[in-house]
Amino acid sequence: MHRLGFCAGQLGSLRLRLAGQLLPARAMSLKVGDKLPAMELVEGLEMKKVNLQELFAGQRSILFGVPGAFTPTCSRVHLPSYVRDYDKLKAKGISQVFCLAVNDPFVMQAWSDANGAEGKVRMLSDTQAIFVEAAGLSLDLSHLLGGLRAKRFVMVIEDGVVKQLDVEPDPTKATCTLADQLLQSL
Amino acid sequence: TAMTSQVKPGDRLPQVTLFDGAPNKPVRIDELCAGKSVVIVGVPGAFTPTCHSSHLPGFVADFDKLKAKGVNLVICVAVNDPFVMAAWAGALGSGDKVLMLADSRAEFAKALGMDIDLTAVLGSVRCRRFSMHVVDNVVKSVNAEEDSSKVDASSSCRLLTKI
């Protein structure tokens, strides 16, 4: 399994809006040892806003990212691996599993339903790609899917701190980011 | 507000490429509609509540009535990627009745002046809710919803009265 120490983040100005404050433009990328940013993403049909720091505080969690709900690799292989191995992940001390994509919450819910993820993998919508851009985990798929998307990645997060981060070198494939691969390192 | 003024009767369909089920399956809308009587339905988002439970089902249900009025093809367009559109077609059971085409980069919506900025809620520019009747690439009627969260002017039953 590849354990990529996360590569340098992209340069370019990003304006991060946290808690209503505009922070100065700076490049950022998430790496092992960092705390998750206090960003708000969206979960579910009620469009519930969820704060990342609150969501991951005090828990040992998995957060995996996919380029697109309903796209071939994500649907055939990646999400099913986490749904199928959910109990094994829990047995290794993981208390919650999240899937993140740059898709709106309605698409994410439909995808969850289609894959029987309810009660196992929770879906986070990074609708405006703010998290993936800030974390250096964005992928320009404008030519294929119409916009910026998430790279294929998986993180282990303990009490809001990134303990492990693996990014799939070829986003069309799922190898090191699959659940059974991750289980070997937990 | 849209950059282009909204499409109206008498206009020709723009020469825009949409996608049928995958990014490598392009379809030119004007080539698809040439010589045919076509209904085009635009919606803000696949799987969004109104689109899913009210708007599209009306066109699926009224398919035979539309055919009886000489319509050859019913197309639904949204600014979603082709995989999402294909999955939505499956979920709706629209099968051989409504052709779901992906306007992945909002080119069609913008060319029709039907684009609407829904970044805050859905993450991008999307398509307004509308229905349109087109014969041999010439627009015959356009029924745009003023409030895209509702289905009134753009419904299938309303369109049937205009064909």
Side-chain angles (χ1 to χ4, degrees), chain B residues 7-160:
Chain B
V7 65
K8 56 195 184 306
D11 288 349
R12 291 193 68 83
L13 275 188
Q15 295 171 344
V16 171
T17 299
L18 301 174
F19 298 89
D20 183 4
N24 60 351
K25 294 189 181 166
V27 168
R28 266 271 295 275
I29 187 72
D30 55 313
E31 288 172 11
L32 183 62
C33 295
K36 298 192 183 97
S37 169
V38 181
V39 166
I40 300 179
V41 184
V43 299
F47 295 109
T48 59
T50 308
C51 307
H52 190 75
S53 48
S54 311
H55 200 195
L56 254 301
F59 284 92
V60 176
D62 283 342
F63 180 72
D64 292 332
K65 290 183 191 171
L66 290 163
K67 288 212 88 175
K69 292 238 180 184
V71 172
N72 305 116
L73 186 56
V74 179
I75 299 172
C76 174
V77 184
V79 181
N80 282 108
D81 68 60
F83 299 114
V84 168
M85 288 304 271
W88 192 37
L92 282 172
S94 49
D96 50 359
K97 296 187 178 174
V98 179
L99 179 62
M100 301 291 205
L101 294 179
D103 185 17
S104 313
R105 293 182 288 278
E107 288 169 359
F108 189 56
K110 286 177 184 171
L112 294 176
M114 287 290 188
D115 49 305
I116 179 173
D117 190 351
L118 292 178
T119 306
V121 173
L122 298 177
S124 66
V125 165
R126 294 294 182 110
C127 186
R128 285 188 179 280
R129 192 180 304 287
F130 73 89
S131 70
M132 188 160 77
H133 181 222
V134 183
V135 177
D136 196 20
N137 284 328
V138 177
V139 178
K140 296 297 177 192
S141 75
V142 183
N143 314 286
E145 220 48 81
E146 282 204 22
D147 176 352
S148 282
S149 69
K150 299 202 172 10
V151 181
D152 180 22
S154 65
S155 69
S156 57
C157 44
R158 188 71 68 84
L159 185 66
L160 277 165

